[in-house]
Every structure is written in C-alpha cells, then in structure tokens.
C-alpha cells in the first residue's frame, strides 16, 4: 500500500509526540500515513526522537503542566537546586530541608520516595529522583538544561506567576536575613538597628541579571548585584535587596498565606507581612523603614490574610514607611 504525501503541522506533531507521549505508529494512524513518515518529520522539525522499545517506568507528575502557582514555584526550585539528567528522562531535586523536598513533590504530584544522601560537608541532604519524559520536556521547553549551573539564563515564566517562581528561587538558593546591627553602638547606645535582607546567589551571571531586570519591572525594586571571586573557582553572583526594597519583595512573593514555600524562611519574613499597627513604645535608633509593630505588643492578622502587595506599593511610593 502506497501513502500519498501528507502535510503535517510541526506544532501538532510536537503536541502529539512530546506532550501527549503518543508513539509514531499511533500518530501515523491518526494522520493516515506511514510511521516512517512521522519519524522523518520528527527529525526534519528537530524534535528529539525517543529510543525504540518500551519506555522506562514513569512516576508521579499527575499534576497539570498548565501554568499555576505550584508549578511556577517548583520551576524556581528546579532552577536553583534541581537537575535534569543527560538521558532526557530523569529529574532530580536535592535539599537539606526535608519539608522543602516534600513540598516540591506535592507541587508536581511526584510519587517517588525521598531518600537521604550525604552532602559534601558530611551533613544530610534529602533527594528525590523520578523519570517522566513529559515533565522533563516541559522543563526543557521553558529554558532549563542539563548541567545548567554556569549556563542558566532567562526562562519562559509568565509575569502572572513570576512571584511564585522567584519565591522558589529564594527558597532554593536564596536567604531572608534579619539581624541586629550594633556597629555604631559604641558612639551611642541607641544606635542599634535591625537589618532586613533578601538575596539569591547563582554561578550564572545571565540568570542573576535576568532576575534583577524582571523583578525591577514587576515591583520597582532594583536591588544590587555583587560578585565573589576565589582563585580556582567559578565566580558567584549575588542579587540582594535591602531596607524598603526587601520589604517590597517579601510582600510580593508571599502574596497569600497558603502559597507553597519553605517554612523556616516564611517564619523569618512573617513579621513583615502583617498589617500596620503602632509600637507600644518609642523604638530605639532611627525609624525603621518598613518595620511593622503590633498595636498591643502582638501583631494581629487582618481578615483578608497578609498585607496586600498593592497597598504596600502605594504606601512605599508615598513615603509613609
């Protein structure tokens, strides 16, 4: 039996073969052509052809791959602490925080179990690895690559979900730091200040610069970039936000109480996410920009949840903090 030429749309072919995971024979039956025709078109359109034979067992990823806060957050974790294997199937995520790994599994619907592993410093990390070509190809499609540490660049993240993505980056390779600065207390005992910093590090300059540009466009917080260089090692780039900008970023990424996040970092940030009150007594030192005080010594939560980002932006712009 001879088959006439069948025009095949590349987007349709990619959707059937990559997203839906159909075989060349199944696609050929739908398009009424030969399986070899489908394989030729896959190579012509530069679509990676799977190896022959039964595919490896795939675990989890029952969750939808349509954009949503949980998926964007998981992408942020993958961009920082995740790994895509060169075999184009296996996905790995490692963290010292067990609850972060469990949150990651929940966001993607992963059923593979978490296993403890030894870190380079002798501590304990927690690792989850599973095989799923559909999820792997989705990560590739948004810009992740195997061995991404030095080559990671801009990713295809919609603006509507960038706060969730950035929160994942902070939970992966970032920090929320609050400390008491007593550097000038020798001059005057009241010169004691609390400092708030939000930062993220990466070995990829392009990735850090893209984060800075996008966060600035969406929130107005510009931040600053520094680099640490050590002989024999790759430079480490750091994006930092301080003072009012750090508060602006925190209110933005923790836009709801039930967003997936790392608990210990949220606890640090939580005191800055509650509604404005007043200090029961005059604070020491200069007025803290953006600091929130409870009206009765204990900060109360409002009925709408956490402090709205839109209101925080208006107050910051008006200079009331």
């Amino acid at each position: 039996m001879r088959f006439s030429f069948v025009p095949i749309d590349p987007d349709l072919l990619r959707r059937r073969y990559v997203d839906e995971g159909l075989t060349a024979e199944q696609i050929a039956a739908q398009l009424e052509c030969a399986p070899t025709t489908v394989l030729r078109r896959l190579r012509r359109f530069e679509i990676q052809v799977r190896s022959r034979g039964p595919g490896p067992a795939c675990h989890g990823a029952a969750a939808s791959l349509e954009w949503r806060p949980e998926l964007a957050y998981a992408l942020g974790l993958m961009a920082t602490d995740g790994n895509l294997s060169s075999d184009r199937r296996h996905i790995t995520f490692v963290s010292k925080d067990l609850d972060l790994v469990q949150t990651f599994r929940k966001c993607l619907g992963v059923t593979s179990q978490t296993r403890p592993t030894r870190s380079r410093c002798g501590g304990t990390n927690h690792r989850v690895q599973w095989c799923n070509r559909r999820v792997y190809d989705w990560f590739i499609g948004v810009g992740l690559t195997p061995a991404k540490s030095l080559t990671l660049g801009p990713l295809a993240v919609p603006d509507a979900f960038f706060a969730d993505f950035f929160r994942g980056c902070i939970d992966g390779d970032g920090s929320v730091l609050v400390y008491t600065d007593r550097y000038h207390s020798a001059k005057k005992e009241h010169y004691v200040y609390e400092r708030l910093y939000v930062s993220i590090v990466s070995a990829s300059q392009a990735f850090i610069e893209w984060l800075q540009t996008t966060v600035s466009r969406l929130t107005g917080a510009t931040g600053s970039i520094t680099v640490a260089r050590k002989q024999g090692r790759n430079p480490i780039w750091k994006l930092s936000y301080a003072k009012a900008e750090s508060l602006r970023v925190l209110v933005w990424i923790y836009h709801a109480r039930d967003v997936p996040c790392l608990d210990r970092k949220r606890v640090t940030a939580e005191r800055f996410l509650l509604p404005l009150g007043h200090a029961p007594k005059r604070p020491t030192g200069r007025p803290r920009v953006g600091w929130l005080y409870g009206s009765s010594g204990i900060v109360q939560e409002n009925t709408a949840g956490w402090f709205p980002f839109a209101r925080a932006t208006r107050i910051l712009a008006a200079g009331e903090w």
Side-chain angles (χ1 to χ4, degrees), residues 54-181:
C58 293
H59 303 280
S64 170
L65 290 180
E66 295 183 0
W67 281 106
R68 52 195 172 83
E70 293 79 9
L71 183 60
Y73 177 74
L75 176 61
L77 293 177
M78 280 295 300
T80 50
D81 283 341
N83 176 63
L84 298 178
S85 173
S86 59
D87 64 6
R88 299 189 62 85
R89 295 192 302 266
H90 287 88
I91 306 165
T92 306
F93 179 71
V94 180
S95 175
K96 67 179 182 180
D97 295 284
L98 177 59
D99 61 330
L100 186 61
V101 180
Q102 302 293 30
T103 300
F104 176 81
R105 292 175 62 236
K106 183 178 180 180
C107 287
L108 290 179
V110 178
T111 58
S112 297
Q113 296 302 308
T114 301
R115 300 180 182 277
T117 60
R118 278 288 180 188
S119 67
R120 295 179 181 179
C121 300
T124 300
N125 286 334
H126 303 278
R127 177 175 181 267
V128 61
Q129 182 183 67
W130 82 104
C131 169
N132 192 299
R133 284 181 174 139
R134 186 171 68 98
V135 178
Y136 187 106
D137 289 340
W138 186 87
F139 282 132
I140 292 292
V142 297
L144 290 185
T145 60
K148 60 174 171 46
S149 297
L150 301 177
T151 61
L152 185 63
L155 304 180
V157 183
D159 288 350
F161 300 98
F162 202 89
D164 301 287
F165 166 76
F166 192 64
R167 186 176 63 256
C169 294
I170 295 296
D171 284 353
D173 275 342
S175 64
V176 180
L177 176 64
V178 179
Y179 76 96
T180 302
D181 183 358

Side-chain angles (χ1 to χ4, degrees), residues 198-268:
V198 178
S199 62
I200 178 173
V201 298
S202 174
S204 171
Q205 180 182 0
F207 181 66
I208 286 293
E209 290 178 344
W210 170 69
L211 287 179
Q212 182 189 39
T213 300
T214 308
V215 173
S216 176
R217 176 171 59 83
L218 295 177
T219 70
T222 57
S224 62
I225 295 179
T226 57
V227 58
R229 304 180 188 273
K230 291 185 178 180
Q231 187 174 6
R233 296 186 180 183
N234 294 312
I236 300 298
W237 302 84
K238 182 178 183 180
L239 172 60
S240 302
Y241 298 92
K243 299 182 178 179
E245 285 196 340
S246 61
L247 177 64
R248 186 189 298 268
V249 170
L250 287 179
V251 173
W252 177 57
I253 64 176
Y254 294 105
H255 52 82
R257 178 169 289 280
D258 59 349
V259 295
C261 59
L262 179 58
D263 286 343
R264 63 180 177 85
K265 290 183 180 178
R266 183 179 64 184
V267 168
T268 302

Side-chain angles (χ1 to χ4, degrees), residues 13-74:
L13 183 59
R14 184 182 300 276
R15 186 163 59 251
R16 294 285 187 269
Y17 190 77
V18 176
D19 298 339
E20 299 179 11
L22 300 182
T23 64
E25 289 77 11
Q26 292 171 324
I27 298 174
Q30 293 181 356
L31 302 179
E32 299 182 352
C33 63
T36 53
T37 300
V38 174
L39 293 173
R40 290 193 191 101
R41 302 297 174 82
L42 288 170
R43 295 186 177 92
R44 177 186 299 179
F45 300 143
E46 298 183 349
I47 300 175
Q48 181 70 30
V49 178
R50 298 190 293 264
S51 58
R52 299 185 63 181
C58 293
H59 303 280
S64 170
L65 290 180
E66 295 183 0
W67 281 106
R68 52 195 172 83
E70 293 79 9
L71 183 60
Y73 177 74

